[in-house]
Amino acid sequence: KAGVTQTPRYLIKTRGQQVTLSCSPISGHRSVSWYQQTPGQGLQFLFEYFSETQRNKGNFPGRFSGRQFSNSRSEMNVSTLELGDSALYLCASSLAGNNEKLFFGSGTQLSVL
Amino acid sequence: SQQGEEDPQALSIQEGENATMNCSYKTSINNLQWYRQNSGRGLVHLILIRSNEREKHSGRLRVTLDTSKKSSSLLITASRAADTASYFCAPTNAGGTSYGKLTFGQGTILTVHP
């Protein structure tokens, strides 16, 4: 069974640009969560989607958005990039999003110059 | 969901030794999970222990949970260089819904020297 796939693995952008990250969950998993990881703030929850609906959201500005498609694949978008958005962005999937046993992808390392 | 606090922040041992790391939390929980993260990669789920369990084993891993002290420990026996990673605990609150949200602490950085 294939794991969680995130693309791209690395991304370099400049301030003011926008970026879209993609996540394909494990087959059959309907919940997809997104996390941001930085050396200073650690792992922080961004949002969770289940059956194309956002069910939960962390404390991030509106520049951070996401969506989920009918096949459970998810994308997150960051608009008007800031230097502080440089981070490892992790996607995790689970069967029902009940916080038990999340399966993480390898992440997308975003660098904002 | 609530945040767990891992202790120590860093642990350095020799291959073959045991490694113990601890997690403390503040309020009652449904379950507590441990995850491992190799540098720059995603997290890997190691083990989940429920609030009505006191001890759980998985291969070389042993997790204990003391709900009266609001703490958990992860023991890795006979450590290998490949165990070098950051380890995070994630306690999940009793009640409510925190869909897809786990709150992680800063983790314990384990270094196993060959």
Side-chain angles (χ1 to χ4, degrees), chain A residues 22-89:
Chain A
S22 179
C23 172
S24 293
I26 291 172
S27 178
H29 285 193
R30 297 168 66 187
S31 169
V32 174
S33 302
W34 288 89
Y35 290 79
Q36 180 197 65
Q37 186 175 29
T38 60
Q41 298 297 316
L43 281 153
Q44 293 187 288
F45 172 77
L46 281 156
F47 29 65
E48 188 261 2
Y49 286 87
F50 182 88
S51 292
E52 302 179 66
T53 299
Q54 185 183 86
R55 296 193 302 184
N56 202 1
K57 189 176 188 302
N59 295 325
F60 278 82
R63 300 186 296 107
F64 292 81
S65 63
R67 59 178 176 168
Q68 186 180 35
F69 302 95
S70 58
N71 61 358
S72 294
R73 190 177 71 84
S74 178
E75 289 180 346
M76 68 161 282
N77 183 276
V78 187
S79 62
T80 319
L81 283 166
E82 300 177 359
L83 295 178
D85 297 333
S86 294
L88 179 66
Y89 289 88

Side-chain angles (χ1 to χ4, degrees), chain A residues 9 31 33 35 37 39-43 45 48 55-56 88 90 96-102 104-106, chain B residues 1 31 33 35 37 39-45 48 50 88 92 97-106:
Chain A
R9 181 75 179 95
S31 169
S33 302
Y35 290 79
Q37 186 175 29
Q41 298 297 316
L43 281 153
F45 172 77
E48 188 261 2
R55 296 193 302 184
N56 202 1
L88 179 66
L90 293 166
N98 61 353
N99 293 347
E100 294 192 3
K101 198 168 184 180
L102 301 188
F104 284 80
S106 295
Chain B
S1 58
N31 64 63
Q33 303 173 59
Y35 287 80
Q37 183 180 33
S39 181
R41 310 295 290 184
L43 282 73
V44 174
H45 182 271
L48 179 152
R50 299 194 185 281
F88 298 90
T92 304
T97 53
S98 297
Y99 297 118
K101 179 181 179 181
L102 294 178
T103 305
F104 299 95
Q106 291 300 312

Side-chain angles (χ1 to χ4, degrees), chain B residues 57-73:
Chain B
H57 296 254
S58 176
R60 294 183 297 111
L61 306 180
R62 177 186 144 216
V63 167
T64 60
L65 179 64
D66 187 334
T67 53
S68 66
K69 294 181 179 177
K70 294 186 173 56
S71 67
S72 173
S73 68

Side-chain angles (χ1 to χ4, degrees), chain B:
Chain B
S1 58
Q2 64 173 301
Q3 181 173 323
E5 296 293 339
E6 297 90 353
D7 175 71
Q9 289 187 340
L11 184 58
S12 182
I13 60 174
Q14 294 296 126
E15 215 166 24
E17 294 180 337
N18 294 345
T20 299
M21 49 207 90
N22 305 295
C23 170
S24 60
Y25 56 91
K26 290 187 165 52
T27 62
S28 58
I29 59 171
N30 281 344
N31 64 63
L32 187 141
Q33 303 173 59
W34 286 90
Y35 287 80
R36 182 190 77 225
Q37 183 180 33
N38 291 91
S39 181
R41 310 295 290 184
L43 282 73
V44 174
H45 182 271
L46 295 176
I47 198 164
L48 179 152
I49 187 165
R50 299 194 185 281
S51 58
N52 61 354
E53 297 175 309
R54 290 297 166 259
E55 188 170 309
K56 204 160 181 180
H57 296 254
S58 176
R60 294 183 297 111
L61 306 180
R62 177 186 144 216
V63 167
T64 60
L65 179 64
D66 187 334
T67 53
S68 66
K69 294 181 179 177
K70 294 186 173 56
S71 67
S72 173
S73 68
L74 170 67
L75 168 68
I76 304 173
T77 60
S79 297
R80 305 166 181 167
D83 295 327
T84 294
S86 294
Y87 291 81
F88 298 90
C89 70
T92 304
N93 281 9
T97 53
S98 297
Y99 297 118
K101 179 181 179 181
L102 294 178
T103 305
F104 299 95
Q106 291 300 312
T108 292
I109 300 172
L110 173 65
T111 304
V112 182
H113 300 280

